[in-house]
């Protein structure tokens, strides 16, 4: 088997021993701190990552929330989590109605293949989330101790 075929199989979701990705639980205690016990609903949030990244040092990410951005009804914050990074809460973005639209385009560091979760808090107090999986061939965020 060639390296490219192997990596394409991982990106396509082949289950290989030792290569299985752990599931991100949106009710994880770290995520629960943001939600403060409120229920999390899947939907409205979209996390876009490449399926395969050669290097985890700078991975493009796009987070969008399908929600109006009016004074009365808007996205208040977006919280980004990576299950295998040393600091799992990668970023917190605070928005308001003057933001125009709820969209974040950035780059993140990832410590290996994993799932990334984005949680959005809306002005009505509800919380919405989405997850995306990525296979990283060369990890970042490694502790060299």
């Amino acid at each position: 088997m060639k390296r490219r075929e192997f990596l394409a199989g991982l990106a396509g979701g082949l289950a290989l021993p030792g290569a299985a990705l752990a599931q991100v639980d949106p009710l994880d205690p770290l995520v629960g701190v943001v939600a403060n016990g409120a229920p999390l609903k899947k939907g409205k949030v979209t996390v876009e990552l490449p399926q395969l990244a050669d290097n985890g040092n700078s991975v493009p990410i796009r987070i969008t929330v399908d929600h109006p951005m009016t004074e009365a009804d808007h996205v208040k914050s977006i919280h980004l989590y990576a299950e295998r990074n040393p600091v799992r809460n990668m970023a917190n973005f605070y928005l308001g109605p003057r933001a125009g639209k709820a969209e974040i385009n950035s780059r993140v560091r990832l410590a290996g293949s994993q799932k990334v979760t984005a949680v959005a808090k809306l002005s009505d107090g509800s919380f919405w989330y989405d997850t995306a999986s990525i296979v990283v061939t060369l990890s970042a965020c490694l502790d060299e101790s």
Side-chain angles (χ1 to χ4, degrees):
M1 175 180 274
K2 293 181 181 176
R3 179 176 178 263
R4 288 182 188 197
E5 292 170 348
F6 175 78
L7 292 174
L10 285 178
L14 276 179
L16 298 174
L21 296 175
Q23 292 292 321
V24 168
D25 183 3
L27 303 177
D28 179 285
L30 193 60
V31 176
V33 169
V34 171
N36 200 19
L40 293 165
K41 303 171 198 160
K42 185 153 176 66
K44 293 194 181 193
V45 179
T46 304
V47 178
E48 296 176 31
L49 285 168
Q51 287 184 344
L52 176 65
D54 291 334
N55 188 331
N57 284 314
S58 183
V59 179
I61 187 168
R62 180 174 184 232
I63 306 158
T64 56
V65 183
D66 185 22
H67 197 73
M69 292 297 282
T70 64
E71 192 68 40
D73 195 16
H74 58 274
V75 177
K76 291 182 85 172
S77 61
I78 299 172
H79 307 273
L80 191 59
Y81 299 92
E83 66 183 355
R84 292 188 54 208
N85 278 11
V87 177
R88 294 183 49 199
N89 180 214
M90 293 193 299
N92 299 303
F93 304 95
Y94 297 94
L95 308 170
R98 292 177 51 191
K101 62 181 175 176
E103 181 177 321
I104 306 294
N105 289 294
S106 188
R107 291 187 173 270
V108 294
R109 290 178 61 124
L110 296 174
S113 300
Q114 59 187 303
K115 286 192 185 263
V116 175
T117 302
V119 177
K121 178 181 181 182
L122 306 184
S123 59
D124 66 2
S126 65
F127 291 86
W128 297 82
Y129 78 95
D130 188 30
T131 60
S133 297
I134 183 168
V135 174
V136 178
T137 56
L138 180 61
S139 298
C141 305
L142 297 177
D143 186 10
E144 297 291 331
S145 54

